[in-house]
Amino acid sequence: MTSKETRKVLAHWREAVPHDRLAHLIKDATRALVRGLQMRLSDHNVSFGHWAFLRILWEQDGLTQRELSEQAGVMEPTTYAAMKAMEALGYIERKHLPGNNKNIHVFLTRNGRALKKKLIPLAEEINAIGTRGLTGTEVKTARKVLLAIIANMADDEASMENAERRVVSTRELSRRINETAES
């Protein structure tokens, strides 16, 4: 998406559908923030996918790949591919801890830790740009609203789990669609 396309999205929200669903507005705001950060991260040869893992490891180094997957909210094959790439870039090293050959733990290298000083200011810059023109109270209110939405959705997801509903994998959904189409 280019800046022209982003402005078109903004005009769409302000003029065409000013009362559309909040979920769409949040998605478009997220997309704009992510793009701004992606452009800055690319100056340092860091992908947005790697950024998510770096942020987690800066706070808690030595997690297992499974723990990283859970904290990042991605599937384990995605984490595996990212860890392989990040290891090749020299950002992390993967190793078994003594006495445990089952789990692979991920540790930042000196280069991976050093990225924090370069990249955190980029994220802070994006947050400042995104909240430009808002008062501290407005930002605080936005955080409160978004956290309430997340809490409400977590409660809803828990109730779905109790009803034995879940998000199915793309593979399983494709299988279901094919079975329906064939019958």
Side-chain angles (χ1 to χ4, degrees), residues 72-134:
V74 297
M75 301 299 287
E76 288 185 51
T78 302
T79 301
Y80 174 78
M83 293 305 103
K84 196 171 173 183
M86 290 173 70
E87 191 170 40
L89 290 165
Y91 300 156
I92 58 116
E93 60 182 349
R94 298 178 292 168
K95 55 186 170 184
H96 295 282
L97 295 181
N100 182 345
N101 285 330
K102 181 183 177 194
N103 294 326
I104 298 174
H105 292 262
V106 180
F107 295 90
L108 290 166
T109 62
R110 180 178 291 158
N111 289 340
R113 281 190 297 281
L115 286 171
K116 184 175 182 178
K117 287 182 182 178
K118 295 177 185 175
L119 303 183
I120 293 292
L122 303 178
E124 291 169 345
E125 177 185 10
I126 288 302
N127 280 294
I129 291 167
T131 58
R132 188 172 31 218
L134 300 175

Side-chain angles (χ1 to χ4, degrees), residues 50-64 68 71 83 86 91-93 105-109 112-113 116:
H50 294 175
W51 162 254
F53 293 114
L54 287 167
R55 282 183 48 231
I56 293 165
L57 291 167
W58 289 329
E59 297 302 316
Q60 193 174 358
D61 202 14
L63 295 172
T64 65
L68 273 172
Q71 288 194 28
M83 293 305 103
M86 290 173 70
Y91 300 156
I92 58 116
E93 60 182 349
H105 292 262
V106 180
F107 295 90
L108 290 166
T109 62
R113 281 190 297 281
K116 184 175 182 178

Side-chain angles (χ1 to χ4, degrees), residues 12-13 17-25:
H12 169 78
W13 279 105
V17 289
H19 305 292
D20 201 358
R21 292 183 304 275
L22 190 58
H24 293 295
L25 183 58

Side-chain angles (χ1 to χ4, degrees), residues 6-18 20 24 28:
T6 301
R7 291 197 184 283
K8 189 174 178 180
V9 167
L10 179 60
H12 169 78
W13 279 105
R14 287 186 171 158
E15 299 160 14
V17 289
D20 201 358
H24 293 295
D28 285 344

